[in-house]
Amino acid sequence: DAKTTQPPSMDCAEGRAANLPCNHSTISGNEYVYWYRQIHSQGPQYIIHGLKNNETNEMASLIITEDRKSSTLILPHATLRDTAVYYCIVRAGGTYKYIFGTGTRLKVLA
Amino acid sequence: DVKVTQSSRYLVKRTGEKVFLECVQDMDHENMFWYRQDPGLGLRLIYFSYDVKMKEKGDIPEGYSVSREKKERFSLILESASTNQTSMYLCASSLWGQTNEKLFFGSGTQLSVL
């Protein structure tokens, strides 16, 4: 199972883009990259996921490098409510195993 | 929207007690999960169920059992609670599928064992 590595913490100014990096250098061809976030004292919330191509939804964009060894989650206009712990996870297609790391604590500053 | 409901937000129990944590989902999902979350350790999978009465051990099943008698309900049982089981417990569900599968989490139960 591929592991992920994320910086433990980041700050971002309100209104600016937050770019959260994730390294998954041992990812295999059928493993998806997922991003979740956890606001204090709540359960994790799904943000976005992808396999090879970049993805965008109403919450964020996911940029996956061509070799798939790393990815970046982009919150285009961070707000104070985006302050949370962000988890980058890989999951092999057809399996139930989501491997959570310890995530990046993002603090959005006013 | 999918709703995953955990029966208690906070629980305080004594060492040796039998503890039941209940989880209900309302979207007819096949898969249900129990995780525990501890500072510095992230989320760790305790048990997984892919159908009624079906279960698989996760990474840390010792000291726990589970029950899934109905599709919408997944219970985590601590047969004899110990202080090292003090933790945040998170239930999740998902619809089985290759491309669009994703986990939906409940709000968590903070369990303190004294």
Side-chain angles (χ1 to χ4, degrees), chain B:
Chain B
D1 274 354
V2 175
K3 193 161 183 185
V4 179
T5 303
Q6 294 184 230
S7 54
S8 303
R9 188 75 181 91
Y10 299 97
L11 268 182
V12 179
K13 296 292 180 181
R14 296 239 175 252
T15 303
E17 278 193 78
K18 191 168 185 175
V19 181
F20 292 86
L21 301 182
E22 307 286 345
C23 176
V24 177
Q25 51 94 3
D26 65 359
M27 283 300 291
D28 204 35
H29 285 175
E30 295 96 347
N31 302 332
M32 295 189 76
F33 306 78
W34 276 106
Y35 289 87
R36 65 176 281 177
Q37 184 173 30
D38 301 288
L41 295 177
L43 277 77
R44 294 179 291 168
L45 181 64
I46 305 171
Y47 266 99
F48 158 68
S49 169
Y50 54 91
D51 202 348
V52 174
K53 297 190 189 295
M54 307 305 290
K55 63 186 179 187
E56 284 193 20
K57 293 180 180 179
D59 298 318
I60 50 164
E62 298 78 20
Y64 304 94
S65 62
V66 290
S67 172
R68 191 156 180 212
E69 297 296 319
K70 293 185 178 181
K71 192 174 186 180
E72 67 271 18
R73 187 179 296 270
F74 193 34
S75 302
L76 181 70
I77 304 154
L78 288 66
E79 294 289 342
S80 177
S82 64
T83 54
N84 63 12
Q85 292 178 309
T86 291
S87 186
M88 169 69 84
Y89 290 88
L90 289 158
C91 175
S93 72
S94 74
L95 188 64
W96 185 260
Q98 293 261 351
T99 56
N100 286 322
E101 178 172 339
K102 47 188 172 243
L103 288 173
F104 294 88
F105 282 88
S107 297
T109 296
Q110 181 63 54
L111 173 67
S112 296
V113 182
L114 306 177

Side-chain angles (χ1 to χ4, degrees), chain A residues 36-86:
Chain A
Y36 282 77
R37 73 179 183 186
Q38 188 173 23
I39 295 168
H40 183 62
S41 298
Q42 297 182 20
Q45 174 193 25
Y46 168 82
I47 301 173
I48 199 166
H49 75 286
L51 183 62
K52 295 181 197 174
N53 300 322
N54 298 337
E55 302 287 345
T56 295
N57 64 20
E58 65 279 2
M59 290 181 71
S61 295
L62 172 60
I63 308 297
I64 303 174
T65 57
E66 195 167 339
D67 63 8
R68 303 209 323 122
K69 293 186 176 183
S70 65
S71 61
T72 301
L73 178 75
I74 301 172
L75 308 178
H77 306 286
T79 71
L80 298 178
R81 286 181 295 179
D82 293 322
T83 292
V85 178
Y86 288 76

